[in-house]
Amino acid sequence: MTAGDAARRPALHADVRVVRGGSPITAAFDVAPGRPLAIIGPNGAGKSSVLAALAGLLPLAAGTVRIGGRSVDGLPPEHRRIGLVFQDYVLFPHLTVLDNIAFAVRMRASRTTARTAAEPWLDRYGLTALAHRRPGELSGGQAQRVALARALAAEPDVLLLDEPMSALDVEVRAEMRAELASHVREFGGATVLVTHSPADAAALTDSALVLESGRVTQRGTLAELRANPATPYVERLLEASSD
Amino acid sequence: MRRAGASAAAMAAASILLAGCAAPSVGSPEPTTPTTTPATGSAATTLTVFAAASLATVFDELAERFEAEHPGVDVVVNSGGSGALAEQIVQGAPADVFAAAAEAPMQRVMEAGLVAAPVVFATNSLELVVPAGNPAGVTSLEDLEREELRIALCDESVPCGAAGVRLFADAAVKPVPDTLESDVTAVLTKVALGEVDAGVVYRTDVRTAGDAVERVVVPEAASVVSRYPIAPMTDAAEPAIAAEFVQLVTGDAGRTVLEHAGFGAP
Amino acid sequence: MGRRTAEPAARLSWPVAVLAVTALAFLVLPIVGLIARAPWGELPELLVRAPVLEALVLSFGTALGSTAICLVFGVPLATLLARAGGWRALPRRLLRAAVTVPLVLPPVVGGIALLLLLGRRGLVGAPLEAAFGVTVPFTTGAVVIAQVFVALPFLVFAVEGALRSANRRTELAAATLGASRWQVFRFVTLPLVAPGVAAGAVLCFTRALGEFGATITFAGSLPGVTRTLPIASYLAMQSDPDEAVALALLLLAVSLVVLLSLRDRWVPGVRA
């Protein structure tokens, strides 16, 4: 896969309404390939629910999800071609690193084919030495690499990242941010990142959307948000993080 | 109608089970003549009696009487299968008196040197019992040879089963049992529930089951008699009290209570 | 697996150690008594007696059969129980209580209950006999039914525990990677719960093998048909304690062999 692929990858169009714990969450946005969108917001704003709705893990109360010209909101998760990296990675504890990454291909091909297809991912993510370890034996940074490689090895059209840094120690965060940004660039498809950290968002993109209490309160580039915060939350958040 | 019958039988079965499980039962804690021994009170002496399951009711009554006559003595009756009780005693269970439903278990305890001179104090004989209404029309021991009937007997390793083997030998009958139970109570339960068409139990047990079972008179049964021996343990904590309890059981008072329960004279 | 980095040994404080050793002694010493009391010299002769072999074959056959039945019905029941977390409190607790009943009920009472249901005058047994001429008590089938009744909760609770630990989100992650429902079950759920299922089956088998009260009450005790090893052992205790001890040792040996042979491969907690 090269950066040239990005041009042929589809865009994501989302206009979703879901109900979680009795309260509605509404968000509409478009994400172009190669230009990730960061969904920023406080805890409990409904960010993860939006991702779950896109991936098909949470039913839509109303709205639509389209990838390129293809409507996927009626499809089960396994047919959407949407990769999701969970906040706590949710690796398969009974499978080795190699078989975790080979999982998606294994669903439609033999074990040998799947493992062969997974080899280059091990190499690219620096996981070759860990190929036969189980998730329980990995550090946080290693687990994150496996989770990302596992999602991307499925060759999804869209990549969703749910708080990818929150499970990591502070010391390794900066390093992992750069690494993640490089992998996401390499992927080149439509990418949505959920975070409450402006620094994490900035590492991957400058396009942002703010979700508060289930509603979109502002959208624009990070610079625009900082220059012109629409809510006290945005103002505080970007103030605190500004250098 | 049918449901009512079944649940009545179930109640009877439950009461049989409860009677079987009632031991160990402690006699009345309240001496009837409390004034005679003011200081020593009730905590002074405990007499532990190991008695065959079929004796449980009788011995509870006798224990109460003994306590009334001996203020300060607590009688504890531990009842169970005679063989199992004998094994417990040989393994060192603390008994003061042992009363068995057959002579073999007593023999085992005697061989271990734990009793000296057992005395036979009662006899029992077997009876053929059927569920209320006698649904299979059982009239004699020969009916136990009918393949299509459900028959419950005691296993020959327990006294009631050993007596049964003698009875069938005397009567020249070859029964076809569906189950060989570990004690008489289990046979009686299955008859009371109507799960079997006939069973062989002790005469004294029939009374426990009440209306749920009926007796079928078999003349041969009178000839096969189980003899119940009793003896104080040689290592009893209070040999004098143990001997007195044995005297109560073998004496006139004991005779009356035993006869009332259906036991025969030795 | 040896490559796990050695964690600093978690040392027990002495009160914990003392209590733990006491508990262990409490479990093991009666067995020591049994072994010490065993008539080792006559053991070979005692164990090849026809009634003993008959009881052994019957016990093994019925315990294997009831374990198979428990697996077929118990795994779905465990799934139901694990998913009941989202139910209202009352039905959820009733379900759990229903599965727990055989654990708290004295097995003899369980046997009576089975008679009242499946006996000749039972709720189901009476129509069954009227319609098909089938009676259940005093058959080898009744032994299996009694064993299933007492052993099923062991399997259900073991599997339920495993299902709970197999996080629902792990299954969702598999779905986002293209796994169909069947593939999720085949490649994720099943391998994650397999150790729990195996451990539950082993517990279930050993419980069935040792079952006594419900069996003798519901199925009776006829050599070769319903007299299993525990019943044979109990009866032998009445007349021939040596044979009873020999039978008990046989039961013990069988259980130990089963538990030890399965330990490393299946019982959870060994694997990283």
Side-chain angles (χ1 to χ4, degrees):
Chain A
M1 192 193 319
T2 66
D5 289 343
R8 291 195 300 277
R9 288 184 177 275
L12 169 71
H13 168 76
D15 180 356
V16 298
R17 180 185 170 85
V18 293
V19 179
R20 197 78 212 246
S23 42
I25 299 156
T26 319
F29 48 84
D30 288 275
V31 184
R35 187 154 187 251
L37 172 72
I39 300 181
I40 307 176
N43 287 333
K47 309 185 295 288
S48 294
S49 298
V50 169
L51 287 197
L54 295 179
L57 306 181
L58 200 62
L60 284 188
T64 178
V65 179
R66 283 210 307 272
I67 300 174
R70 183 168 73 101
S71 170
V72 299
D73 47 64
L75 299 177
E78 63 267 28
H79 293 140
R80 292 195 178 196
R81 299 180 58 83
I82 296 181
L84 172 59
V85 175
F86 289 79
Q87 186 169 355
D88 51 351
Y89 315 133
V90 196
L91 300 177
F92 303 122
H94 60 297
L95 298 179
T96 60
V97 165
L98 175 63
D99 286 337
N100 262 278
I101 295 173
F103 189 88
V105 178
R106 177 73 184 89
M107 292 305 101
R108 43 178 205 269
S110 74
R111 181 188 303 228
T112 319
T113 309
R115 283 185 177 163
T116 308
E119 296 284 354
W121 291 94
L122 287 176
D123 188 36
R124 199 178 307 153
Y125 281 69
L127 294 168
T128 309
L130 307 175
H132 300 290
R133 296 261 176 106
R134 288 181 196 273
E137 302 168 278
L138 301 178
S139 73
Q142 291 165 344
Q144 196 215 43
R145 284 190 202 120
V146 177
L148 188 64
R150 182 180 71 170
L152 290 177
E155 312 240 337
D157 290 332
V158 173
L159 176 66
L160 309 177
L161 303 166
D162 190 356
E163 302 271 14
M165 298 296 166
S166 66
L168 296 181
D169 294 337
V170 181
E171 307 89 76
V172 300
R173 247 182 231 181
E175 186 190 330
M176 290 305 296
R177 255 183 217 136
E179 195 183 312
L180 179 65
S182 128
H183 289 313
V184 168
R185 245 191 329 273
E186 209 170 89
F187 162 61
T191 302
V192 179
L193 163 77
V194 152
T195 181
H196 59 266
S197 153
D200 288 351
L204 260 69
T205 183
D206 71 342
S207 169
L209 174 154
V210 181
L211 194 70
E212 291 178 67
S213 307
R215 286 191 1 264
V216 175
T217 52
Q218 191 169 13
R219 62 182 84 209
T221 65
L222 286 166
E224 285 165 359
L225 263 57
R226 181 173 293 129
N228 211 352
T231 69
Y233 166 77
V234 179
E235 185 172 6
R236 269 199 317 278
L237 186 75
L238 293 174
E239 229 170 43
S241 73
S242 62
D243 30 341
Chain B
M1 175 82 188
R2 168 170 242 183
R3 180 79 57 81
S7 62
M11 294 282 285
S15 70
I16 293 166
L17 276 177
L18 285 176
C21 299
S25 79
V26 181
S28 154
E30 197 79 41
T32 46
T33 51
T35 48
T36 49
T37 47
T40 47
S42 58
T45 311
T46 300
L47 184 75
T48 306
V49 178
F50 277 39
S54 46
L55 293 169
T57 322
V58 169
F59 270 42
D60 279 347
E61 195 178 333
L62 290 172
E64 245 176 78
R65 186 178 296 220
F66 191 76
E67 282 170 341
E69 290 166 6
H70 297 78
V73 176
D74 241 357
V75 181
V76 177
V77 179
N78 174 30
S79 65
S82 297
L85 291 178
E87 179 64 14
Q88 287 170 12
I89 291 172
V90 172
Q91 293 297 327
D96 296 311
V97 174
F98 179 41
E103 285 165 305
M106 184 62 85
Q107 188 66 31
R108 189 147 26 119
V109 177
M110 205 154 86
E111 278 161 15
L114 294 170
V115 299
V119 182
V120 174
F121 68 98
T123 60
N124 210 345
S125 55
L126 295 175
E127 288 222 317
L128 184 56
V129 290
V130 296
N134 196 359
V138 174
T139 57
S140 69
L141 279 184
E142 279 74 39
D143 284 322
L144 300 187
E145 294 183 339
R146 285 160 61 190
E147 289 271 359
E148 77 278 13
L149 292 196
R150 289 284 160 108
I151 310 293
L153 303 175
C154 286
D155 188 78
E156 59 179 290
S157 61
V158 295
C160 61
V165 169
R166 279 187 282 143
L167 171 63
F168 295 126
D170 284 0
V173 166
K174 287 194 169 58
V176 190
D178 291 274
T179 177
L180 298 170
E181 299 289 334
S182 59
D183 57 65
V184 117
T185 307
V187 174
L188 202 56
T189 304
K190 289 187 167 82
V191 177
L193 283 172
E195 286 305 329
V196 293
D197 299 305
V200 171
V201 300
Y202 283 126
R203 188 172 65 199
T204 51
D205 295 304
V206 181
R207 307 196 173 202
T208 330
D211 294 337
V213 305
E214 285 177 15
R215 306 161 53 174
V216 173
V217 179
V218 287
E220 303 94 323
S223 65
V224 177
V225 170
S226 295
R227 293 149 60 82
Y228 283 55
I230 188 170
M233 308 301 301
T234 50
D235 60 352
E238 298 275 354
I241 296 177
E244 275 185 57
F245 185 83
V246 172
Q247 275 164 25
L248 171 75
V249 174
T250 54
D252 288 344
R255 180 76 266 126
T256 312
V257 177
L258 284 161
E259 244 164 44
H260 183 73
F263 285 97
Chain C
M1 308 218 160
R3 81 168 96 71
R4 289 186 75 186
T5 46
E7 293 165 18
R11 304 204 18 212
L12 294 174
S13 67
W14 69 264
V16 174
V18 167
L19 292 173
V21 169
T22 308
L24 191 64
F26 183 76
L27 295 175
V28 171
L29 287 180
I31 308 301
V32 172
L34 195 65
I35 291 171
R37 170 69 208 276
W40 291 106
E42 299 136 66
L43 209 55
E45 183 261 327
L46 285 170
L47 289 181
V48 296
R49 287 183 190 175
V52 174
L53 291 177
E54 211 171 36
L56 179 70
V57 169
L58 181 69
S59 271
F60 245 88
T62 51
L64 280 175
S66 51
T67 304
I69 292 173
C70 284
L71 279 169
V72 170
F73 293 95
V75 173
L77 179 55
T79 312
L80 181 70
L81 206 58
R83 294 284 152 85
W87 294 9
R88 299 229 312 274
L90 188 65
R92 191 180 68 229
R93 286 177 195 160
L94 281 175
L95 177 66
R96 183 159 293 276
V99 179
T100 313
V101 159
L103 291 180
V104 297
L105 208 62
V108 175
V109 178
I112 291 277
L114 285 171
L115 275 180
L116 293 177
L117 180 73
L118 295 170
R120 287 206 300 194
R121 295 185 185 174
L123 286 179
V124 172
L128 206 62
E129 187 178 17
F132 305 105
V134 177
T135 57
V136 182
F138 312 117
T139 62
T140 306
V143 175
V144 173
I145 291 173
Q147 288 174 349
V148 168
F149 181 76
V150 297
L152 187 57
F154 287 84
L155 181 100
V156 170
F157 285 131
V159 175
E160 188 217 356
L163 282 169
R164 279 179 187 278
S165 67
N167 199 323
R168 172 98 184 104
R169 297 173 66 241
T170 316
E171 299 175 344
L172 293 178
T176 67
L177 293 167
S180 67
R181 281 191 186 195
W182 164 247
Q183 286 176 320
V184 169
F185 181 76
R186 159 76 182 78
F187 290 101
V188 178
T189 316
L190 197 62
L192 282 177
V193 304
V197 172
V202 170
L203 273 177
C204 179
F205 176 78
T206 47
R207 177 67 188 87
L209 203 61
E211 169 27 51
F212 171 77
T215 308
I216 197 167
T217 309
F218 178 55
S221 156
L222 195 67
V225 180
T226 57
R227 183 171 292 173
T228 55
L229 267 181
I231 298 175
S233 173
Y234 178 76
L235 281 169
M237 189 53 92
Q238 308 282 330
S239 57
D240 186 353
D242 277 353
E243 186 179 318
V245 171
L247 285 164
L249 279 179
L250 187 59
L251 264 177
L252 188 70
V254 166
S255 309
L256 276 180
V257 166
V258 169
L259 287 169
L260 291 177
S261 66
L262 290 170
R263 178 88 189 118
D264 289 281
R265 255 188 304 162
W266 284 114
V267 180
V270 176
R271 194 180 41 115

mmCIF file of all heavy atoms in Angstrom, chain B residues 180-214:
data_model
loop_
_atom_site.group_PDB
_atom_site.id
_atom_site.type_symbol
_atom_site.label_atom_id
_atom_site.label_comp_id
_atom_site.label_asym_id
_atom_site.label_seq_id
_atom_site.Cartn_x
_atom_site.Cartn_y
_atom_site.Cartn_z
ATOM 1 N N LEU B 180 -32.440 -53.179 45.363
ATOM 2 C CA LEU B 180 -32.038 -53.750 46.646
ATOM 3 C C LEU B 180 -31.533 -52.599 47.504
ATOM 4 O O LEU B 180 -30.437 -52.091 47.301
ATOM 5 C CB LEU B 180 -30.942 -54.799 46.430
ATOM 6 C CG LEU B 180 -31.390 -55.992 45.575
ATOM 7 C CD1 LEU B 180 -30.208 -56.874 45.201
ATOM 8 C CD2 LEU B 180 -32.442 -56.807 46.321
ATOM 9 N N GLU B 181 -32.353 -52.175 48.454
ATOM 10 C CA GLU B 181 -32.097 -50.923 49.154
ATOM 11 C C GLU B 181 -31.134 -51.094 50.320
ATOM 12 O O GLU B 181 -30.909 -52.191 50.818
ATOM 13 C CB GLU B 181 -33.417 -50.338 49.638
ATOM 14 C CG GLU B 181 -34.384 -50.018 48.522
ATOM 15 C CD GLU B 181 -33.953 -48.819 47.692
ATOM 16 O OE1 GLU B 181 -33.218 -47.960 48.219
ATOM 17 O OE2 GLU B 181 -34.358 -48.726 46.523
ATOM 18 N N SER B 182 -30.589 -49.965 50.768
ATOM 19 C CA SER B 182 -29.586 -49.997 51.825
ATOM 20 C C SER B 182 -30.218 -50.012 53.205
ATOM 21 O O SER B 182 -29.546 -50.283 54.187
ATOM 22 C CB SER B 182 -28.673 -48.785 51.701
ATOM 23 O OG SER B 182 -29.445 -47.612 51.796
ATOM 24 N N ASP B 183 -31.494 -49.716 53.320
ATOM 25 C CA ASP B 183 -32.166 -49.848 54.610
ATOM 26 C C ASP B 183 -33.665 -49.955 54.405
ATOM 27 O O ASP B 183 -34.196 -49.694 53.324
ATOM 28 C CB ASP B 183 -31.817 -48.693 55.554
ATOM 29 C CG ASP B 183 -32.162 -47.361 54.947
ATOM 30 O OD1 ASP B 183 -33.354 -47.105 54.726
ATOM 31 O OD2 ASP B 183 -31.236 -46.571 54.665
ATOM 32 N N VAL B 184 -34.322 -50.333 55.485
ATOM 33 C CA VAL B 184 -35.737 -50.605 55.444
ATOM 34 C C VAL B 184 -36.543 -49.343 55.116
ATOM 35 O O VAL B 184 -37.548 -49.393 54.412
ATOM 36 C CB VAL B 184 -36.115 -51.217 56.811
ATOM 37 C CG1 VAL B 184 -37.062 -50.370 57.563
ATOM 38 C CG2 VAL B 184 -36.628 -52.618 56.652
ATOM 39 N N THR B 185 -36.067 -48.212 55.581
ATOM 40 C CA THR B 185 -36.771 -46.949 55.341
ATOM 41 C C THR B 185 -36.913 -46.679 53.846
ATOM 42 O O THR B 185 -37.959 -46.238 53.377
ATOM 43 C CB THR B 185 -35.988 -45.794 55.994
ATOM 44 O OG1 THR B 185 -35.754 -46.135 57.353
ATOM 45 C CG2 THR B 185 -36.752 -44.516 55.921
ATOM 46 N N ALA B 186 -35.855 -46.951 53.106
ATOM 47 C CA ALA B 186 -35.875 -46.692 51.671
ATOM 48 C C ALA B 186 -36.899 -47.586 50.974
ATOM 49 O O ALA B 186 -37.591 -47.152 50.045
ATOM 50 C CB ALA B 186 -34.481 -46.907 51.082
ATOM 51 N N VAL B 187 -36.995 -48.827 51.429
ATOM 52 C CA VAL B 187 -37.995 -49.733 50.848
ATOM 53 C C VAL B 187 -39.394 -49.190 51.127
ATOM 54 O O VAL B 187 -40.239 -49.084 50.229
ATOM 55 C CB VAL B 187 -37.854 -51.153 51.457
ATOM 56 C CG1 VAL B 187 -38.982 -52.057 50.962
ATOM 57 C CG2 VAL B 187 -36.505 -51.751 51.110
ATOM 58 N N LEU B 188 -39.603 -48.788 52.378
ATOM 59 C CA LEU B 188 -40.918 -48.312 52.783
ATOM 60 C C LEU B 188 -41.313 -47.046 52.014
ATOM 61 O O LEU B 188 -42.459 -46.886 51.594
ATOM 62 C CB LEU B 188 -40.889 -48.038 54.294
ATOM 63 C CG LEU B 188 -42.217 -48.045 55.021
ATOM 64 C CD1 LEU B 188 -42.943 -49.361 54.792
ATOM 65 C CD2 LEU B 188 -41.989 -47.823 56.508
ATOM 66 N N THR B 189 -40.350 -46.142 51.819
ATOM 67 C CA THR B 189 -40.614 -44.910 51.064
ATOM 68 C C THR B 189 -41.118 -45.245 49.669
ATOM 69 O O THR B 189 -42.084 -44.661 49.179
ATOM 70 C CB THR B 189 -39.326 -44.083 50.941
ATOM 71 O OG1 THR B 189 -38.819 -43.837 52.239
ATOM 72 C CG2 THR B 189 -39.585 -42.761 50.250
ATOM 73 N N LYS B 190 -40.435 -46.192 49.037
ATOM 74 C CA LYS B 190 -40.795 -46.500 47.642
ATOM 75 C C LYS B 190 -42.162 -47.182 47.566
ATOM 76 O O LYS B 190 -42.890 -46.993 46.595
ATOM 77 C CB LYS B 190 -39.700 -47.338 47.003
ATOM 78 C CG LYS B 190 -38.448 -46.486 46.781
ATOM 79 C CD LYS B 190 -37.366 -47.176 46.011
ATOM 80 C CE LYS B 190 -36.321 -46.166 45.569
ATOM 81 N NZ LYS B 190 -35.356 -45.843 46.603
ATOM 82 N N VAL B 191 -42.504 -47.954 48.594
ATOM 83 C CA VAL B 191 -43.843 -48.557 48.613
ATOM 84 C C VAL B 191 -44.883 -47.466 48.844
ATOM 85 O O VAL B 191 -45.898 -47.393 48.146
ATOM 86 C CB VAL B 191 -43.951 -49.645 49.706
ATOM 87 C CG1 VAL B 191 -45.373 -50.198 49.765
ATOM 88 C CG2 VAL B 191 -42.962 -50.775 49.436
ATOM 89 N N ALA B 192 -44.609 -46.582 49.811
ATOM 90 C CA ALA B 192 -45.574 -45.532 50.148
ATOM 91 C C ALA B 192 -45.830 -44.617 48.959
ATOM 92 O O ALA B 192 -46.944 -44.144 48.754
ATOM 93 C CB ALA B 192 -45.070 -44.731 51.344
ATOM 94 N N LEU B 193 -44.787 -44.367 48.159
ATOM 95 C CA LEU B 193 -44.943 -43.504 46.991
ATOM 96 C C LEU B 193 -45.620 -44.226 45.836
ATOM 97 O O LEU B 193 -45.951 -43.616 44.832
ATOM 98 C CB LEU B 193 -43.574 -43.002 46.517
ATOM 99 C CG LEU B 193 -42.933 -41.881 47.326
ATOM 100 C CD1 LEU B 193 -41.514 -41.639 46.845
ATOM 101 C CD2 LEU B 193 -43.750 -40.607 47.205
ATOM 102 N N GLY B 194 -45.795 -45.551 45.967
ATOM 103 C CA GLY B 194 -46.403 -46.306 44.881
ATOM 104 C C GLY B 194 -45.431 -46.575 43.742
ATOM 105 O O GLY B 194 -45.841 -46.993 42.660
ATOM 106 N N GLU B 195 -44.138 -46.322 43.972
ATOM 107 C CA GLU B 195 -43.165 -46.557 42.904
ATOM 108 C C GLU B 195 -42.901 -48.042 42.712
ATOM 109 O O GLU B 195 -42.432 -48.458 41.665
ATOM 110 C CB GLU B 195 -41.861 -45.827 43.202
ATOM 111 C CG GLU B 195 -41.945 -44.321 43.002
ATOM 112 C CD GLU B 195 -42.418 -43.955 41.605
ATOM 113 O OE1 GLU B 195 -42.145 -44.709 40.662
ATOM 114 O OE2 GLU B 195 -43.084 -42.908 41.474
ATOM 115 N N VAL B 196 -43.136 -48.831 43.768
ATOM 116 C CA VAL B 196 -43.030 -50.283 43.608
ATOM 117 C C VAL B 196 -44.369 -50.894 44.000
ATOM 118 O O VAL B 196 -45.162 -50.286 44.725
ATOM 119 C CB VAL B 196 -41.888 -50.880 44.472
ATOM 120 C CG1 VAL B 196 -40.538 -50.406 43.972
ATOM 121 C CG2 VAL B 196 -42.069 -50.544 45.933
ATOM 122 N N ASP B 197 -44.594 -52.116 43.517
ATOM 123 C CA ASP B 197 -45.868 -52.771 43.786
ATOM 124 C C ASP B 197 -45.849 -53.514 45.110
ATOM 125 O O ASP B 197 -46.899 -53.787 45.679
ATOM 126 C CB ASP B 197 -46.188 -53.750 42.652
ATOM 127 C CG ASP B 197 -46.318 -53.022 41.323
ATOM 128 O OD1 ASP B 197 -47.119 -52.089 41.257
ATOM 129 O OD2 ASP B 197 -45.592 -53.377 40.371
ATOM 130 N N ALA B 198 -44.646 -53.856 45.569
ATOM 131 C CA ALA B 198 -44.555 -54.567 46.834
ATOM 132 C C ALA B 198 -43.151 -54.426 47.398
ATOM 133 O O ALA B 198 -42.191 -54.177 46.657
ATOM 134 C CB ALA B 198 -44.886 -56.042 46.639
ATOM 135 N N GLY B 199 -43.052 -54.573 48.717
ATOM 136 C CA GLY B 199 -41.749 -54.527 49.366
ATOM 137 C C GLY B 199 -41.799 -55.375 50.611
ATOM 138 O O GLY B 199 -42.873 -55.706 51.119
ATOM 139 N N VAL B 200 -40.589 -55.722 51.096
ATOM 140 C CA VAL B 200 -40.534 -56.494 52.336
ATOM 141 C C VAL B 200 -39.834 -55.639 53.390
ATOM 142 O O VAL B 200 -38.721 -55.160 53.164
ATOM 143 C CB VAL B 200 -39.783 -57.828 52.115
ATOM 144 C CG1 VAL B 200 -39.546 -58.524 53.434
ATOM 145 C CG2 VAL B 200 -40.566 -58.711 51.160
ATOM 146 N N VAL B 201 -40.525 -55.407 54.516
ATOM 147 C CA VAL B 201 -39.983 -54.562 55.580
ATOM 148 C C VAL B 201 -40.222 -55.232 56.927
ATOM 149 O O VAL B 201 -40.842 -56.289 57.003
ATOM 150 C CB VAL B 201 -40.657 -53.171 55.574
ATOM 151 C CG1 VAL B 201 -40.425 -52.467 54.239
ATOM 152 C CG2 VAL B 201 -42.145 -53.282 55.862
ATOM 153 N N TYR B 202 -39.732 -54.613 57.996
ATOM 154 C CA TYR B 202 -39.996 -55.124 59.326
ATOM 155 C C TYR B 202 -41.426 -54.806 59.740
ATOM 156 O O TYR B 202 -41.982 -53.767 59.365
ATOM 157 C CB TYR B 202 -39.054 -54.471 60.346
ATOM 158 C CG TYR B 202 -37.659 -55.016 60.321
ATOM 159 C CD1 TYR B 202 -36.586 -54.164 60.165
ATOM 160 C CD2 TYR B 202 -37.423 -56.381 60.466
ATOM 161 C CE1 TYR B 202 -35.291 -54.648 60.164
ATOM 162 C CE2 TYR B 202 -36.140 -56.874 60.451
ATOM 163 C CZ TYR B 202 -35.064 -56.010 60.304
ATOM 164 O OH TYR B 202 -33.807 -56.498 60.288
ATOM 165 N N ARG B 203 -41.965 -55.701 60.567
ATOM 166 C CA ARG B 203 -43.309 -55.498 61.059
ATOM 167 C C ARG B 203 -43.448 -54.138 61.759
ATOM 168 O O ARG B 203 -44.429 -53.432 61.599
ATOM 169 C CB ARG B 203 -43.641 -56.625 62.045
ATOM 170 C CG ARG B 203 -45.057 -56.657 62.508
ATOM 171 C CD ARG B 203 -45.302 -57.906 63.314
ATOM 172 N NE ARG B 203 -44.518 -57.890 64.552
ATOM 173 C CZ ARG B 203 -44.237 -58.968 65.270
ATOM 174 N NH1 ARG B 203 -44.620 -60.153 64.856
ATOM 175 N NH2 ARG B 203 -43.531 -58.877 66.376
ATOM 176 N N THR B 204 -42.423 -53.771 62.535
ATOM 177 C CA THR B 204 -42.503 -52.519 63.299
ATOM 178 C C THR B 204 -42.507 -51.294 62.400
ATOM 179 O O THR B 204 -42.982 -50.242 62.794
ATOM 180 C CB THR B 204 -41.321 -52.404 64.259
ATOM 181 O OG1 THR B 204 -40.123 -52.630 63.531
ATOM 182 C CG2 THR B 204 -41.433 -53.421 65.385
ATOM 183 N N ASP B 205 -41.927 -51.420 61.195
ATOM 184 C CA ASP B 205 -41.863 -50.255 60.305
ATOM 185 C C ASP B 205 -43.199 -49.950 59.664
ATOM 186 O O ASP B 205 -43.462 -48.809 59.292
ATOM 187 C CB ASP B 205 -40.827 -50.490 59.212
ATOM 188 C CG ASP B 205 -39.435 -50.584 59.779
ATOM 189 O OD1 ASP B 205 -39.030 -49.631 60.467
ATOM 190 O OD2 ASP B 205 -38.781 -51.615 59.561
ATOM 191 N N VAL B 206 -44.028 -50.970 59.523
ATOM 192 C CA VAL B 206 -45.305 -50.753 58.846
ATOM 193 C C VAL B 206 -46.094 -49.676 59.568
ATOM 194 O O VAL B 206 -46.758 -48.852 58.960
ATOM 195 C CB VAL B 206 -46.115 -52.069 58.796
ATOM 196 C CG1 VAL B 206 -47.421 -51.849 58.063
ATOM 197 C CG2 VAL B 206 -45.297 -53.144 58.107
ATOM 198 N N ARG B 207 -45.964 -49.650 60.888
ATOM 199 C CA ARG B 207 -46.738 -48.672 61.670
ATOM 200 C C ARG B 207 -46.346 -47.236 61.332
ATOM 201 O O ARG B 207 -47.183 -46.347 61.356
ATOM 202 C CB ARG B 207 -46.522 -48.911 63.158
ATOM 203 C CG ARG B 207 -46.802 -50.360 63.496
ATOM 204 C CD ARG B 207 -46.968 -50.559 64.967
ATOM 205 N NE ARG B 207 -47.402 -51.943 65.205
ATOM 206 C CZ ARG B 207 -48.029 -52.347 66.280
ATOM 207 N NH1 ARG B 207 -48.310 -51.494 67.237
ATOM 208 N NH2 ARG B 207 -48.383 -53.596 66.409
ATOM 209 N N THR B 208 -45.062 -47.037 61.040
ATOM 210 C CA THR B 208 -44.576 -45.687 60.737
ATOM 211 C C THR B 208 -45.240 -45.111 59.494
ATOM 212 O O THR B 208 -45.475 -43.917 59.411
ATOM 213 C CB THR B 208 -43.046 -45.712 60.484
ATOM 214 O OG1 THR B 208 -42.480 -46.753 61.258
ATOM 215 C CG2 THR B 208 -42.426 -44.384 60.823
ATOM 216 N N ALA B 209 -45.530 -45.976 58.525
ATOM 217 C CA ALA B 209 -45.990 -45.479 57.225
ATOM 218 C C ALA B 209 -47.456 -45.097 57.218
ATOM 219 O O ALA B 209 -47.919 -44.444 56.291
ATOM 220 C CB ALA B 209 -45.718 -46.527 56.155
ATOM 221 N N GLY B 210 -48.197 -45.503 58.238
ATOM 222 C CA GLY B 210 -49.600 -45.098 58.332
ATOM 223 C C GLY B 210 -50.443 -45.672 57.206
ATOM 224 O O GLY B 210 -50.287 -46.835 56.821
ATOM 225 N N ASP B 211 -51.317 -44.826 56.642
ATOM 226 C CA ASP B 211 -52.286 -45.308 55.669
ATOM 227 C C ASP B 211 -51.733 -45.481 54.262
ATOM 228 O O ASP B 211 -52.427 -45.956 53.381
ATOM 229 C CB ASP B 211 -53.469 -44.326 55.604
ATOM 230 C CG ASP B 211 -54.235 -44.309 56.918
ATOM 231 O OD1 ASP B 211 -54.139 -45.313 57.655
ATOM 232 O OD2 ASP B 211 -54.910 -43.296 57.195
ATOM 233 N N ALA B 212 -50.499 -45.046 54.045
ATOM 234 C CA ALA B 212 -49.977 -45.090 52.681
ATOM 235 C C ALA B 212 -49.646 -46.510 52.237
ATOM 236 O O ALA B 212 -49.511 -46.776 51.054
ATOM 237 C CB ALA B 212 -48.740 -44.196 52.555
ATOM 238 N N VAL B 213 -49.482 -47.427 53.215
ATOM 239 C CA VAL B 213 -49.171 -48.801 52.832
ATOM 240 C C VAL B 213 -50.158 -49.765 53.490
ATOM 241 O O VAL B 213 -50.785 -49.450 54.500
ATOM 242 C CB VAL B 213 -47.725 -49.207 53.230
ATOM 243 C CG1 VAL B 213 -46.715 -48.241 52.662
ATOM 244 C CG2 VAL B 213 -47.580 -49.293 54.744
ATOM 245 N N GLU B 214 -50.268 -50.948 52.890
ATOM 246 C CA GLU B 214 -51.124 -52.007 53.444
ATOM 247 C C GLU B 214 -50.287 -53.248 53.663
ATOM 248 O O GLU B 214 -49.332 -53.499 52.927
ATOM 249 C CB GLU B 214 -52.239 -52.346 52.446
ATOM 250 C CG GLU B 214 -53.331 -51.319 52.365
ATOM 251 C CD GLU B 214 -54.363 -51.691 51.302
ATOM 252 O OE1 GLU B 214 -54.362 -52.866 50.858
ATOM 253 O OE2 GLU B 214 -55.124 -50.789 50.919
#
